[in-house]
Amino acid sequence: MKNLGSLLLLVSFFALSCSQKKEAISTATSYYIDPETGRDENAGTSVSAPWKSLQRIASAELRAGDAILLAGGKKHRGSLRLSRLAGTGEKPVSISSYGGSRAVIESGDSLALLAIDCSHIVVRNIEASGSGRLEGNITNGIELLNCKSSTIDSCSAHGFLYSGIRITGGKDIRITNCFSSDNGFCGINVESGENEYGADGSLYKTMRGLYIGHCIADNNPGCPAIKNNHSGNGILIGGVTGGLIEHCEAMNNGWDMPREGNGPVGIWAYMCDSVIIQYCYAHQNKTSPKGKDGGGFDFDGGIRYSVMRYNVSAFNEGAGYGIFQYGGATEWCHNTAHDNISINDGSKNGQCGFLVWTDPTGGPMHSFTAFNNTVVNDKYAVNF
C-alpha cells in the first residue's frame, strides 16, 4: 500500500507538471489589427474581432511567443512603437502580416516601426512606407535601438529621409531578404550605440554579431538634411565586431547627395573588427556632380581583421574597391581583399578598380593583402 501511495503521488505530480507545461505553451497570444474592419474596443485576439489601430498595441502586455499580426494588403497608418519586449530563442515576439499578402505601415513623416531595448523579436513580411525624403519625412523606416537576438526578414522600406532599415547598438542582429529603396541617407545602416566605448577606449566597435544576407539597396539618392558628410549609401555598417554581409546587391545609389566632398559607396564598413563582405554585387552607384567616391565597396577608417572576397563591382562612378583611412580614425590593419572583380569602375574623379588612400591625421594604416583580384578597365587598374 505504501508503494501504491507513492505511485499515485508520482502520477499526480506528473499530471500536474504536464498541465502546467500545457498552460505555459498555450499562453502565447496573437493580436490582429485591421484598419478597415477592426475596432480598438474589440478583444483583438481573432481575425473576426481585430483591433483597428497600431496605437492600440501599446496597451497590450506582450509576452514571449506573442504575435502582432497586421492585415495584409491594407494600409496601416501611423507608427508601431515597441519597448522592452522579451521573447526567447524558442518563443520570440513576432510582428508580421496575415491574410496572404504584405501589410503596409504608411507612416507619413514619421517612422514606421521602432523597437527599443527588446530581445528575441522578429519583424517579418512588412512594408514600411514614408512620405518621401523630399516630401516631409524626417526619420528612418524600420529601426531597432539596443535590441538583442532579433531579426528583420522579408521586409521593404522606402520613402524615408534617413535609412530604410536602421540598427543602432545591440547584439546578434539578422537582416535578411529585405529591399530598401528611395531613402535619403542609406538603404540599410547599422551603427554602434551612442556614448558606448570599446576596450581600447574608442567610441565604436560595440555592436556585436551582425548578419546581412540576400538584401537589395536600390536608388537611395542622398539626404537633403546632411550637408557636412556623405549620404546616398546602399549598405553601410560602422562600429561592428563580428559581421557578415553576403549575397547582397546595391545599385544606383548616391546620385543626389547635396554636397561636394567625400561621398557614398554601395556596400561598405568603417571602424569595424572581423567583418566579411562576400558574394555581393555593387553596380551603377554614383555621387553628386562635384562629390567624391560613389564606388562599389569600401573598407574605410579603423577597419581591422576583415575580408572582402568573391564580390563583383561594375560601372560605378567611384572606385570598385576603396581602401581608405580617414582623419581621426583608429588603426587600420590586417585586412584582405581577394578573388574580387571590378569592371569599368571609376568613371569619375580619376578613380579605378582599387583605390588606396590615407589621411595623415588618421591612425596608422598597415598590413593589407590583395590577391587573385580581376580588374577590367581601360583607364586605371590601381591607384595609390
Side-chain angles (χ1 to χ4, degrees):
M1 292 296 292
K2 183 177 180 181
N3 290 339
L4 179 58
S6 298
L7 180 60
L8 289 174
L9 181 62
L10 180 61
V11 169
S12 298
F13 176 80
F14 179 76
L16 177 61
S17 176
C18 289
S19 176
Q20 289 174 336
K21 288 181 179 179
K22 183 178 180 180
E23 182 180 355
I25 292 172
S26 65
T27 55
T29 303
S30 293
Y31 297 95
Y32 297 85
I33 301 176
D34 189 319
E36 297 176 6
T37 66
R39 296 175 66 248
D40 284 348
E41 294 77 19
N42 288 341
T45 53
S46 67
V47 175
S48 60
W51 289 332
K52 181 179 181 65
S53 69
L54 296 172
Q55 291 73 25
R56 177 62 178 82
I57 200 69
S59 60
E61 296 183 6
L62 298 174
R63 297 179 173 86
D66 286 355
I68 302 169
L69 300 174
L70 310 184
K74 298 183 180 181
K75 294 180 179 179
H76 300 255
R77 291 181 171 83
S79 301
L80 180 57
R81 300 171 186 267
L82 309 167
S83 64
R84 301 186 183 280
L85 299 183
T88 67
E90 294 181 351
K91 297 192 296 183
V93 177
S94 62
I95 303 96
S96 189
S97 302
Y98 73 93
S101 57
R102 182 177 289 176
V104 181
I105 299 180
E106 199 169 72
S107 61
D109 296 344
S110 189
L111 52 84
L113 188 153
L114 173 64
I116 302 175
D117 296 326
C118 297
S119 63
H120 295 285
I121 67 168
V122 176
V123 181
R124 177 171 287 128
N125 198 29
I126 295 292
E127 177 182 343
S129 177
S131 57
R133 68 185 183 97
L134 302 179
E135 285 76 38
N137 188 272
I138 57 173
T139 63
N140 302 296
I142 298 173
E143 183 170 4
L144 305 186
L145 176 60
N146 294 326
C147 293
K148 299 179 180 180
S149 303
S150 297
T151 297
I152 301 173
D153 176 62
S154 301
C155 292
S156 64
H158 56 88
F160 296 94
L161 179 63
Y162 291 100
S163 298
I165 297 174
R166 164 82 178 191
I167 309 298
T168 305
K171 179 181 180 182
D172 296 330
I173 302 296
R174 294 177 60 86
I175 306 170
T176 54
N177 306 302
C178 290
F179 181 71
S180 188
S181 65
D182 301 289
N183 304 292
F185 175 70
C186 195
I188 299 173
N189 181 214
V190 179
E191 306 280 347
S192 286
E194 295 181 0
N195 300 322
E196 295 184 6
Y197 291 85
D200 62 354
S202 64
L203 183 62
Y204 303 99
K205 303 181 183 177
T206 56
M207 194 282 177
R208 295 181 177 272
L210 172 69
Y211 178 80
I212 303 175
H214 304 277
C215 293
I216 297 174
D218 176 29
N219 194 45
N220 299 282
C223 179
I226 300 176
K227 295 182 171 59
N228 62 347
N229 207 346
H230 60 82
S231 66
N233 302 284
I235 299 173
L236 167 61
I237 67 173
V240 173
T241 296
L244 174 60
I245 303 173
E246 64 177 359
H247 302 292
C248 292
E249 183 177 7
M251 66 279 205
N252 196 38
N253 301 291
W255 53 268
D256 197 30
M257 180 181 69
R259 64 182 297 272
E260 302 177 10
N262 63 306
V265 175
I267 301 175
W268 62 295
Y270 74 98
M271 295 293 286
C272 292
D273 281 1
S274 304
V275 164
I276 297 174
I277 302 175
Q278 63 180 13
Y279 302 111
C280 292
Y281 183 28
H283 58 100
Q284 275 97 17
N285 292 292
K286 301 172 177 66
T287 186
S288 65
K290 295 183 179 180
K292 298 180 180 179
D293 300 309
F297 298 87
D298 173 17
F299 272 173
D300 218 298
I303 291 285
R304 304 189 307 176
Y305 304 102
S306 296
V307 180
M308 287 190 287
R309 61 190 181 193
Y310 311 121
N311 300 295
V312 176
S313 177
F315 306 105
N316 297 288
E317 288 187 346
Y321 301 88
I323 307 300
F324 301 151
Q325 173 72 328
Y326 60 80
T330 57
E331 183 181 33
W332 193 108
C333 62
H334 301 293
N335 301 309
T336 303
H338 69 86
D339 296 285
N340 300 288
I341 297 173
S342 169
I343 303 173
N344 290 331
D345 287 313
S347 59
K348 286 185 65 175
N349 304 322
Q351 296 188 1
C352 49
F354 276 77
L355 176 62
V356 181
W357 174 87
T358 181
D359 186 316
T361 66
M365 185 181 189
H366 62 90
S367 305
F368 172 60
T369 302
F371 61 92
N372 288 347
N373 298 290
T374 301
V375 176
V376 178
N377 197 308
D378 59 5
K379 294 180 182 179
Y380 304 97
V382 180
N383 194 2
F384 294 90

